[in-house]
Amino acid sequence: MKRMIIFIFLLSISTVFLGIGFAAIDNITLELNGNAGVKKIDYIKITNIEYKSDVLADLEESKINNYYNTTINSKVVLGNDITSSISYEVTLKNDTESSFKYIDAIHDNLPKFYDNENIEYEVTGIEKGKILLPDTEKVITITFKYKELPIENNILNSYINIKFSKVHNIQYVNIDSTNLINSIAEEESSNIEFSNPPTSIDVEGDLDYEYNNGVLSISNVTSDIKITASEEETSENNEAVTPVYSITAKNISIGSTINPNEYQNTNENINGPYMKYTVDSNNQVVKIEGCKTGTANANEVCITAVDTNEYSNNKAILASYFGGNINNTPSECSEEDNFGTMEFTCANSYVVLAADSDGGIFINDIEHSKQCVINPSFGIYSCN
């Protein structure tokens, strides 16, 4: 970011923007739940299945009948030895705009879907909870083998679903807490416990939720979520704090005393990037954030400036904003060590966001042709 800021502010050369495009494709998935049903959704799919290896299996009779999205219909004929097995390589493709979490390989116990319980299967090459990001592929292996003796039937006809759940992002606004989850998969539930609980919150999205005693319980999530604290927040010692807003950054540090009357008391009329200063009852600044307003193409986002302890949390916010999480960095994001300062940068056609371990932040709202930057190391505090 140091080089980026010098480049921008000393040379006045425009940022080169990345254009990222994804194809949205409607697919059909087959869920096995006692009867076969289909529903039209954005989903990942199997694109290829190939024989890999076997031990004493009947290769002429064993075959993959067909596959549909993530469901495999096969006939397996093993040998008459307990060690007999057969393995297939399965290629999965996520060509949607969403991330998906691997849940498990499942089947229905009805005979028409799985007719030999003495033959089992094992999926390798992917761990439960693995996230499959947009526009990526994953090759896994499914192996059929005997469960136990005696061998009374060596044939299995089955439908097996390599089950994934769509992942939805969680965005936090005006919330000063650490170690918060940034995504959740459909069919999951979670209790989000705030280390610095807001008095009240607004939750936007399609979900069920309940907020009590600083814990937000969410379930039945079917969309991205935005969680916003009420305008009056509390500090670590439960003292009331108030946010104020500015579209022109000033050389203000944590602990500085300001006159709130010189700032906007709401961000409702702001379009583009801005600075958010949170002050306590003595008008001392307790937190500094760089934000951008939301548009149809790019959601609202805030990242913390000046505080060097917030780098990890800023990374998680940016990764989530671009569709990943802290353990699965999106392709639009990268991290580098710039002479001892770690810098995490994400970009697409609409916005460039960056944060570094020295408390620096950079926001380029391409749609509004405006930038905000803070870099304490260079003494740069600017919005233009």
Side-chain angles (χ1 to χ4, degrees):
M1 190 191 306
K2 294 187 179 71
R3 289 175 293 181
M4 182 192 307
I5 293 168
I6 294 173
F7 187 71
I8 292 169
F9 288 91
L10 297 184
L11 301 181
S12 300
I13 297 177
S14 299
T15 305
V16 177
F17 309 123
L18 303 179
I20 308 298
F22 296 108
I25 299 175
D26 288 334
N27 296 314
I28 306 294
T29 186
L30 181 64
E31 294 284 350
L32 303 176
N33 58 5
N35 52 46
V38 295
K39 61 178 181 177
K40 190 175 182 180
I41 59 174
D42 289 332
Y43 209 66
I44 67 176
K45 60 187 177 182
I46 296 171
T47 58
N48 189 50
I49 301 179
E50 294 183 354
Y51 163 81
K52 181 178 182 180
S53 63
D54 75 284
V55 177
L56 302 174
D58 188 331
L59 299 185
E60 292 187 3
E61 293 296 322
S62 298
K63 60 181 179 179
I64 302 296
N65 296 320
N66 54 65
Y67 49 87
Y68 194 66
N69 287 336
T70 56
T71 298
I72 304 168
N73 173 216
S74 67
K75 176 183 179 181
V76 167
V77 182
L78 300 181
N80 292 319
D81 189 287
I82 190 63
T83 64
S84 183
S85 66
I86 188 168
S87 299
Y88 295 92
E89 280 192 342
V90 180
T91 302
L92 296 154
K93 172 70 174 178
N94 181 5
D95 56 6
T96 77
E97 295 181 338
S98 303
S99 296
F100 285 84
K101 177 184 285 189
Y102 173 56
I103 304 301
D104 202 356
I106 62 172
H107 69 271
D108 195 289
N109 289 323
L110 289 177
K112 63 181 178 179
F113 294 122
Y114 203 94
D115 65 3
N116 187 351
E117 290 295 336
N118 198 41
I119 294 179
E120 61 183 0
Y121 55 89
E122 178 184 18
V123 172
T124 56
I126 190 170
E127 300 293 331
K128 292 180 182 180
K130 172 70 177 179
I131 302 296
L132 195 61
L133 297 175
D135 199 29
T136 58
E137 285 188 344
K138 184 68 176 176
V139 177
I140 64 175
T141 299
I142 183 168
T143 300
F144 296 89
K145 57 187 177 179
Y146 286 116
K147 184 184 298 184
E148 58 188 11
L149 289 171
I151 300 173
E152 296 179 350
N153 181 3
N154 67 334
I155 300 174
L156 168 65
N157 296 284
S158 67
Y159 289 84
I160 297 170
N161 186 9
I162 311 300
K163 184 173 177 59
F164 286 79
S165 284
K166 190 174 183 178
V167 174
H168 297 290
N169 297 320
I170 302 176
Q171 179 188 359
Y172 300 93
V173 180
N174 298 339
I175 292 178
D176 182 17
S177 289
T178 58
N179 300 320
L180 301 177
I181 63 170
N182 292 287
S183 63
I184 186 171
E186 291 185 358
E187 302 179 17
E188 288 185 336
S189 59
S190 181
N191 291 326
I192 302 175
E193 185 170 355
F194 299 104
S195 58
N196 185 23
T199 303
S200 62
I201 58 175
D202 294 322
V203 181
E204 299 177 37
D206 297 324
L207 74 160
D208 295 330
Y209 69 91
E210 184 177 1
Y211 184 56
N212 287 311
N213 299 320
V215 178
L216 175 64
S217 300
I218 60 176
S219 59
N220 300 320
V221 179
T222 58
S223 73
D224 288 347
I225 304 169
K226 182 179 178 181
I227 303 170
T228 305
S230 60
E231 285 300 296
E232 183 179 89
E233 304 170 12
T234 58
S235 62
E236 292 183 0
N237 59 3
N238 292 322
E239 181 183 7
V241 294
T242 305
V244 294
Y245 308 89
S246 174
I247 58 173
T248 57
K250 302 179 181 180
N251 288 23
I252 294 173
S253 297
I254 294 175
S256 298
T257 300
I258 67 172
N259 181 0
N261 295 326
E262 297 177 356
Y263 298 82
Q264 296 179 218
N265 60 9
T266 176
N267 63 351
E268 290 181 358
N269 297 321
I270 297 175
N271 290 312
Y274 61 94
M275 290 297 167
K276 175 185 173 183
Y277 302 99
T278 304
V279 299
D280 62 16
S281 58
N282 296 316
N283 293 331
Q284 285 191 326
V285 176
V286 296
K287 187 176 184 179
I288 302 172
E289 296 169 272
C291 308
K292 70 167 291 296
T293 55
T295 68
N297 298 311
N299 293 332
E300 181 179 357
V301 65
C302 290
I303 49 179
T304 303
V306 180
D307 189 345
T308 57
N309 296 319
E310 287 291 324
Y311 180 59
S312 177
N313 190 49
N314 283 338
K315 283 176 55 180
I317 291 172
L318 297 191
S320 175
Y321 188 84
F322 282 82
N325 58 53
I326 197 66
N327 297 314
N328 293 278
T329 302
S331 58
E332 298 93 335
C333 301
S334 62
E335 184 174 33
E336 66 173 340
D337 185 339
N338 185 15
F339 299 102
T341 298
M342 298 304 300
E343 301 172 354
F344 192 77
T345 304
C346 302
N348 61 18
S349 300
Y350 307 106
V351 62
V352 180
L353 303 173
D356 69 33
S357 57
D358 286 340
I361 62 167
F362 174 68
I363 298 174
N364 188 340
D365 188 336
I366 300 169
E367 293 181 278
H368 293 100
S369 300
K370 295 180 181 179
Q371 301 171 345
C372 278
V373 64
I374 285 181
N375 192 300
S377 299
F378 285 92
I380 298 174
Y381 299 75
S382 177
C383 282
N384 56 45

